[in-house]
């Protein structure tokens, strides 16, 4: 349960009052007095030292209103009358319980999120959202070509998972990989430039949408389901090398029916590999709904002898908590575990799929309005006084700028040079000759 | 005198001692000592962690092997025969061979795929296919195929030390064959270069009136070529026998040099003729300087273009025999 702030927030919505806000309060101040420090419990504003702060607040509010009165006022004003020192630094949230399979315990349903965490999750999810929308735009302008599988709607999964694992852990996923490329360490610039096929792309333009790699991130895989045995192999290497690392191995509801996944379940359980199998169930494998593809849609139970969790994939805190639980399971040597994240993609399967022939517009709208991971996080933070509308808007502006800059780079960076056509066939190899399209065309490949 | 089987065993043993990251996985490789006893004694020496018996799940365990190579290990992935590797071929090509390129060099895949390839005896169609041209088709893979014990040891050691995916096509019928091994090849650091063929039998003297010809082959058929060469020598025909050792990258220079000397070429392989290794050699010779030195078109001796039958007489007539090689040589030389 979360406590509400005891002072009143005046919210009058108006366009263009941002400057006014700044004029009154100046730049950001991060004053943390003892009365706002958290001591592992939730904040109750009615406690210590509140009197003085309230008075200061009221003065500020009246100053601002006076300032507004002298301006041309239209119907709406945005004012959040606080300094950052007045925000709740952490709060406890009640989250949805997970369904479990072959487990005696389940992830906690009461979780703590700090203000800093919230802001971070918000920023990353918003950035991923905007990045995918920018990709959509660039694709329609024919600046991105080929395959482009967008992740918008599913942000809570990538962000929640990354929040619960270490950078030294490993992750592999399918072709719907742009979000994970970011959370695992790629920059927006590198990702967009890879989509536009430029030399500044994360794979130098050689891979494209489905083949992006970075440290401890193994792509981006084009063959449906192939990433699952690969991920178990990464986990085998983790166990073999004894570094207490694990591998998060993602696949979709469509891939969940691949035979090689069941072969992998068997070996991972047999050898107790530290792998978290995660099924991102977004209800549709391309145009086929789960009911039409699977005899059993309880994907978290499909591992039979492997314990499983079914998780609300639209709630970043649910995903984080479940992943923490799963990671503990793996790290304690108990072997693999399966998580099914119930999530949703707003776009169709890929850019060539409008996404409304096998599902209704109403369904998409409903998910967007009720379950959007970013909106829900925002609401949580605002209603728990963990951030201001203003602050979040600033983040939005900042994110937009980052995406714009990256898109600018991605559209102006030159394409890879032809001299590099044949490079990187092999690693750590002496130079080799490569036959071109005809016998006189003798190209070369360096590692 | 060392059998091919023992030479392979030595290679695996030495490479596992040398580098902790090297491990062997496959069906029956551990407690059974290997389906063909190639890995005899290794499980006893290295234990469960490094010699891993897998369930019968080629696609799964090959993917696992490739994933482990991506994350820092150096697996030797054994297929009981390459016929079963067809179930896993997606991982060999799409997950292993192409990844270094797709990642622009960020993600190497140091893995070895090995096992028996091609015809055995009496095992019929599904267990007798030669996959040399299938794998040799693909950039990103290196494909080797040993004949002698020295080949088997040196090429496998080179394959393990290579940071890229290497397919090693062995031959079940060669496992029990003994070869002399040189002093040098008994060293723990003996490796053979991938991409270099060996002239097993050299034509030393070329005369204007003499009959000379180059025979090119790999794996078991090298032995057949050597036997044919011995018979032909008695009839005054001098054969230069080239053991390819590596199918991809093909050592075209070695073949060219030989053809420019002998003016005639016959390729010998166990696989089917269409789009086979011999077809590739023909194309490469035509594109290079050796073409002008040919006194007749190249001849390919191949397996018969049918699925392998079971009955002994039928099977014998499906694979190239020594008499087929001799016949082809004489036709090519027009004698």
């Amino acid at each position: 349960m979360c406590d509400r702030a005891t002072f009143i927030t005046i919210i009058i919505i108006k366009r263009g009052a941002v400057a006014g806000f700044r004029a009154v309060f100046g730049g950001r101040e991060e004053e943390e007095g003892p009365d706002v420090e958290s001591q592992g419990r939730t904040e109750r504003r009615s406690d210590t030292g509140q009197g003085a702060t309230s008075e200061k607040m009221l003065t500020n509010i009246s100053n601002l209103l006076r300032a507004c009165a002298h301006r041309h006022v239209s119907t709406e004003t945005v004012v959040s009358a606080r300094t950052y020192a007045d925000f709740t630094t952490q709060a406890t949230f009640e989250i949805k319980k997970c369904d479990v399979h072959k487990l005696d315990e389940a992830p906690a349903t009461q979780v703590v999120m700090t203000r800093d965490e919230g802001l971070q999750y918000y920023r990353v999810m918003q950035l991923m959202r905007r990045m995918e929308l920018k990709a959509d735009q660039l694709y329609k302008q024919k600046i991105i070509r080929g395959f482009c599988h967008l992740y918008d709607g599913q942000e809570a999964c990538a962000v929640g998972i990354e929040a619960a694992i270490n950078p030294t852990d490993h992750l592999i996923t399918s072709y719907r990989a742009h979000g994970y490329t970011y959370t695992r360490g790629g920059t927006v610039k590198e990702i967009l430039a890879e989509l536009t096929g430029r030399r500044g792309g994360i794979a130098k333009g050689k891979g494209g949408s489905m083949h992006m790699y970075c440290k401890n991130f193994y792509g981006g895989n084009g063959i449906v389901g192939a990433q699952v045995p690969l991920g178990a192999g990464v986990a085998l290497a983790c166990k073999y090398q004894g570094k207490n690392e694990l591998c998060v191995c993602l696949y979709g509801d469509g891939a969940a029916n691949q035979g090689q996944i069941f072969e992998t379940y068997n070996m991972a359980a047999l050898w107790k590999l530290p792998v978290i199998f995660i099924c991102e169930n977004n209800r549709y494998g391309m145009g086929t709904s789960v009911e039409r593809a699977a005899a059993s849609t309880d994907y978290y139970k499909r591992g039979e002898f492997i314990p499983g969790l079914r998780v609300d994939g639209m709630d970043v805190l649910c995903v984080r908590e479940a992943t923490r639980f799963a990671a503990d399971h793996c790290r304690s040597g108990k072997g693999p575990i399966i998580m099914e994240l119930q999530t949703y993609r707003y776009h169709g399967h890929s850019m060539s799929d409008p996404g409304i022939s096998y599902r209704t517009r109403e369904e998409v709208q409903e998910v967007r309005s009720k379950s959007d991971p970013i909106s829900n996080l925002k609401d949580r933070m605002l209603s728990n006084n963990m951030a201001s509308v203003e602050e979040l808007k600033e983040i939005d502006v900042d994110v937009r700028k980052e995406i714009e800059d990256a898109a600018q780079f991605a559209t102006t960076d030159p394409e890879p040079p032809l001299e590099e056509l044949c490079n990187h066939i092999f690693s750590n190899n002496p130079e080799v000759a490569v036959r071109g399209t005809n016998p006189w065309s003798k190209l070369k490949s360096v590692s | 005198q060392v059998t091919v089987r023992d030479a392979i065993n030595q290679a695996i043993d030495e490479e596992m001692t040398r580098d902790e990251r090297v491990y062997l996985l496959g069906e029956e490789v551990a407690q059974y000592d290997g389906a063909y006893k190639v890995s005899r004694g290794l499980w006893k020496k290295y234990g469960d962690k490094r010699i891993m018996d897998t369930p019968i799940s080629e696609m799964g365990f090959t993917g696992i092997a490739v994933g482990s190579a991506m994350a820092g290990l150096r697996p030797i992935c054994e297929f009981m025969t390459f016929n079963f590797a067809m179930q896993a071929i997606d991982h060999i090509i799409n997950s292993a061979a192409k990844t270094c390129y797709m990642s622009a060099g960020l993600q190497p895949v140091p893995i070895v795929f090995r096992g028996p390839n091609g015809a055995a005896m009496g095992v019929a169609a599904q267990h007798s296919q030669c996959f040399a041209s299938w794998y040799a088709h693909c950039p990103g893979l290196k494909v080797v195929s040993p004949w002698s014990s020295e080949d088997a040891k040196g090429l496998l050691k080179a394959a393990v030390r290579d940071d890229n995916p290497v397919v090693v096509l062995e031959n079940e019928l060669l496992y029990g064959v003994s070869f002399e091994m040189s002093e040098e090849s008994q060293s723990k650091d003996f490796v053979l270069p991938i991409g270099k063929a060996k002239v097993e039998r050299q034509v030393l003297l070329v005369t204007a009136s003499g009959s000379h010809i180059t025979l090119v082959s790999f794996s078991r058929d090298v032995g057949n070529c050597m036997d044919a060469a011995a018979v032909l020598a008695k009839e005054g025909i001098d054969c230069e026998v080239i053991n390819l050792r590596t199918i991809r990258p093909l050592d075209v220079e070695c073949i060219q040099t030989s053809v420019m000397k002998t003016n005639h070429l016959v390729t010998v392989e166990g696989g089917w003729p269409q789009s086979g290794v011999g077809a590739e050699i023909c194309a490469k010779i035509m594109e290079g300087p050796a073409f002008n030195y040919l006194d007749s078109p190249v001849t390919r001796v191949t397996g018969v273009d049918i699925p392998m039958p079971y009955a002994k007489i039928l099977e014998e007539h499906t694979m190239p025999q020594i008499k087929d090689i001799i016949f082809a040589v004489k036709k090519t030389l027009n004698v």
Side-chain angles (χ1 to χ4, degrees):
Chain A
M1 289 300 123
C2 41
D3 287 63
R4 300 187 174 277
T6 55
F7 66 79
I8 300 155
T9 307
I10 300 171
I11 296 179
I12 312 157
I13 315 298
K14 177 204 165 170
R15 252 174 257 108
V18 176
F21 173 76
R22 287 234 173 278
V24 174
F25 294 107
R28 279 181 203 207
E29 286 164 28
E30 231 128 18
E31 283 175 295
E32 299 253 283
D35 50 323
V36 294
E37 239 160 55
S38 72
Q39 277 127 32
R41 55 187 172 79
T42 58
E43 286 305 303
R44 293 196 49 89
R45 291 253 146 255
S46 54
D47 290 352
T48 51
Q50 190 49 29
T53 326
S54 288
E55 231 179 71
K56 191 166 128 203
M57 281 291 96
L58 288 170
T59 318
N60 286 336
I61 290 165
S62 29
N63 282 343
L64 182 65
L65 289 175
R66 224 173 287 129
C68 285
H70 290 133
R71 292 174 194 282
H72 171 62
V73 177
S74 57
T75 41
E76 303 179 324
T77 302
V78 177
V79 172
S80 269
R82 316 167 188 162
T83 64
Y84 293 94
D86 297 315
F87 288 124
T88 315
T89 50
Q90 68 176 46
T92 304
F93 297 92
E94 180 86 14
I95 55 173
K96 209 190 254 178
K97 189 172 184 305
C98 294
D99 295 318
V100 297
H101 170 70
K102 294 223 156 75
L103 281 167
D104 297 321
E105 290 170 335
T109 50
Q110 294 229 339
V111 299
V112 172
M113 181 178 77
T114 69
R115 182 182 127 80
D116 285 344
E117 285 168 348
L119 290 173
Q120 196 209 358
Y121 303 158
Y122 181 83
R123 185 176 204 284
V124 179
M125 289 201 288
Q126 189 69 286
L127 190 135
M128 275 166 53
R129 175 70 57 93
R130 301 252 120 238
M131 179 175 77
E132 295 294 78
L133 294 178
K134 177 56 69 178
D136 170 278
Q137 187 186 47
L138 292 172
Y139 195 93
K140 285 171 177 151
Q141 292 173 305
K142 297 198 187 333
I143 299 171
I144 296 177
R145 44 192 277 283
F147 286 129
C148 192
H149 306 90
L150 299 177
Y151 196 69
D152 52 311
Q154 301 187 209
E155 295 85 358
C157 298
V159 175
I161 291 168
E162 193 63 36
I165 60 174
N166 305 323
T168 48
D169 288 322
H170 307 259
L171 192 140
I172 190 171
T173 185
S174 68
Y175 47 77
R176 201 175 300 281
H178 308 157
Y180 289 99
T181 313
Y182 182 76
T183 53
R184 287 263 93 200
T187 65
V188 188
K189 260 195 179 137
E190 289 173 319
I191 294 170
L192 288 182
E194 186 60 34
L195 291 175
T196 56
R198 308 300 165 100
R199 62 181 71 182
I202 200 167
K204 302 193 171 80
K206 292 276 191 67
S209 171
M210 302 185 292
H211 308 295
M212 302 193 190
Y213 301 81
C214 59
K215 189 167 198 304
N216 295 343
F217 176 59
Y218 304 85
N221 285 276
I223 307 296
V224 174
Q227 72 274 21
V228 179
L230 293 179
V234 172
L236 176 73
C238 290
K239 183 173 178 175
Y240 190 106
Q241 292 167 326
K243 292 191 262 182
N244 198 29
E245 293 164 3
L246 54 78
C247 183
V248 176
C249 179
L250 296 123
Y251 54 96
D253 49 279
N257 300 313
Q258 272 266 311
Q260 58 186 318
I261 293 186
F262 294 89
E263 294 187 12
T264 307
Y265 286 160
N266 182 39
M267 287 182 273
L270 204 54
W271 298 331
K272 291 200 160 35
L273 300 181
V275 51
I276 304 176
F277 294 112
I278 301 189
C279 177
E280 282 181 294
N281 177 3
N282 61 19
R283 307 193 211 168
Y284 300 93
M286 201 152 143
T288 307
S289 68
V290 293
E291 300 77 41
R292 293 204 305 124
S296 162
T297 54
D298 291 333
Y299 296 101
Y300 71 113
K301 289 187 184 169
R302 299 281 292 275
E304 200 194 331
F305 36 79
I306 298 181
L309 294 168
R310 181 161 54 192
V311 182
D312 178 1
M314 301 304 271
D315 179 349
V316 66
L317 294 180
C318 276
V319 177
R320 185 187 75 176
E321 204 56 36
T323 310
R324 276 187 184 155
F325 180 92
D328 283 341
H329 178 100
C330 282
R331 281 192 232 276
S332 61
K334 295 190 184 126
I337 185 168
I338 297 176
M339 278 168 52
E340 175 187 340
L341 300 179
Q342 294 185 301
T343 183
Y344 200 83
R345 53 166 163 81
Y346 295 144
H347 268 85
H349 164 72
S350 70
M351 288 304 297
S352 58
D353 171 25
I356 44 164
S357 59
Y358 47 87
R359 55 186 193 176
T360 60
R361 266 190 228 270
E362 289 71 48
E363 180 188 287
V364 184
Q365 258 318 104
E366 188 176 351
V367 177
R368 238 192 237 278
S369 60
K370 295 205 181 118
S371 314
D372 185 273
I374 301 175
S375 305
N376 285 352
L377 176 64
K378 179 175 174 178
D379 289 344
R380 263 191 179 141
M381 290 191 71
L382 290 177
S383 58
N384 285 276
N385 186 38
M386 294 179 88
S388 67
V389 171
E390 211 5 85
E391 188 177 12
L392 296 179
K393 263 216 159 53
E394 263 179 51
I395 294 176
D396 292 348
V397 167
D398 195 56
V399 160
R400 237 175 257 264
K401 177 158 197 312
E402 187 173 337
I403 302 295
E404 276 312 316
D405 287 348
Q408 177 65 12
F409 174 73
T411 49
T412 54
D413 198 40
E415 286 189 288
L418 284 178
E419 298 77 59
E420 299 207 357
L421 177 67
C422 300
N423 288 351
H424 308 121
I425 297 176
F426 294 124
S427 175
N428 193 19
N429 211 56
E431 187 180 298
V432 290
V434 174
R435 188 196 198 276
T437 56
N438 61 68
W440 298 273
S441 166
K442 289 182 174 67
L443 309 171
K444 74 172 164 27
S445 173
V446 301
S447 280
Chain B
Q1 283 267 318
V2 179
T3 60
V4 171
R5 172 184 288 116
D6 290 342
I8 297 172
N9 186 290
Q10 277 174 31
I12 300 174
D13 194 355
E14 286 171 13
E15 292 306 299
M16 285 184 66
T17 299
R18 177 181 177 269
D19 188 336
E20 256 182 12
R21 301 167 297 174
V22 178
Y23 73 99
L24 174 68
L25 85 168
E27 292 154 13
E28 310 300 348
V29 296
Q31 299 189 18
Y32 196 82
D33 270 340
Y36 303 97
K37 306 298 177 218
V38 171
S39 52
R40 189 193 290 127
L42 295 179
W43 175 65
K44 223 185 205 154
K45 181 172 176 182
Y46 293 101
D48 287 329
K49 179 182 171 185
R50 301 183 70 194
I51 309 283
M52 294 175 67
D53 275 336
T54 65
I56 308 173
S57 309
E58 272 76 7
M59 199 170 183
F61 74 68
T62 307
I64 285 178
V66 175
S68 73
M70 290 180 177
L73 301 185
R74 301 186 75 91
I76 301 174
C77 178
E78 177 175 309
F79 295 113
M80 200 178 282
T81 75
F82 268 93
N83 300 287
F84 314 134
M86 258 208 287
Q87 304 205 301
I89 204 167
D90 176 63
H91 282 297
I92 299 175
I93 309 299
N94 282 323
S95 305
K98 296 179 184 172
T99 295
C100 190
Y101 185 84
M102 289 193 297
S103 66
L106 281 176
Q107 183 58 73
V109 186
I111 188 167
V112 173
F113 301 105
R114 52 159 290 274
N117 173 63
M121 286 292 177
V123 292
Q126 293 179 343
H127 289 71
S128 305
Q129 188 169 333
C130 175
F131 290 87
S133 61
W134 284 39
Y135 294 115
H137 190 59
C138 304
L141 279 186
K142 298 185 186 182
V143 182
V144 300
S145 192
W147 169 55
S148 66
S149 300
E150 227 174 85
D151 291 351
K153 185 173 180 192
L155 290 174
L156 183 53
K157 284 166 78 72
V160 172
R161 295 183 192 198
D162 201 307
D163 287 341
N164 299 286
V166 183
V167 172
V168 182
L169 302 171
E170 299 162 3
N171 187 293
E172 195 214 313
L173 300 172
L174 285 176
Y175 284 152
V177 179
S178 294
F179 291 83
E180 284 291 330
M181 281 189 80
S182 66
E183 192 64 50
E184 188 207 357
S185 67
Q186 293 178 58
S187 141
K188 285 193 168 41
D189 279 312
F190 169 68
V191 290
L192 285 174
I194 294 179
K196 285 267 162 287
K198 183 183 178 203
V199 179
E200 298 284 353
R201 184 183 192 283
Q202 206 172 20
V203 161
L204 294 166
L205 186 64
V206 175
T207 60
S209 57
S211 294
H212 341 82
I213 190 163
T214 302
L215 299 178
V216 178
S217 186
F218 63 94
S219 190
R220 189 156 178 269
D221 286 306
V222 175
N224 288 338
C225 288
M226 294 294 277
D227 292 344
V231 172
L232 288 163
K234 294 192 189 114
E235 297 178 42
I237 298 173
D238 204 4
C239 300
E240 185 146 281
V241 178
I242 296 179
N243 170 9
L244 283 175
R245 284 180 165 174
T246 302
I247 319 288
R248 181 180 181 111
L250 210 53
D251 189 353
V252 195
E253 259 136 51
C254 178
I255 305 174
Q256 276 168 181
T257 308
S258 180
V259 169
M260 279 152 74
K261 189 166 73 179
T262 66
N263 310 125
H264 303 87
L265 178 57
V266 169
T267 68
V268 184
E269 68 198 288
W272 297 314
Q274 182 149 347
S275 314
V277 178
E280 178 61 22
I281 293 173
C282 289
K284 284 207 157 84
I285 290 296
M286 280 209 289
E287 288 177 354
F291 176 71
N292 289 316
Y293 289 76
L294 283 173
D295 286 344
S296 63
V298 180
T299 300
R300 300 175 295 160
V301 176
T302 68
V304 175
D305 206 4
I306 54 172
M308 181 66 72
Y310 165 67
K312 187 157 194 280
I313 189 173
L314 298 179
E315 186 181 54
E316 279 168 358
H317 284 81
T318 308
M319 298 188 290
Q321 308 285 16
I322 295 169
K323 62 173 165 66
D324 296 318
I325 303 174
I326 293 170
F327 177 80
V329 166
K330 288 181 175 170
K331 283 290 258 186
T332 309
L333 287 170
N334 202 21
V335 297

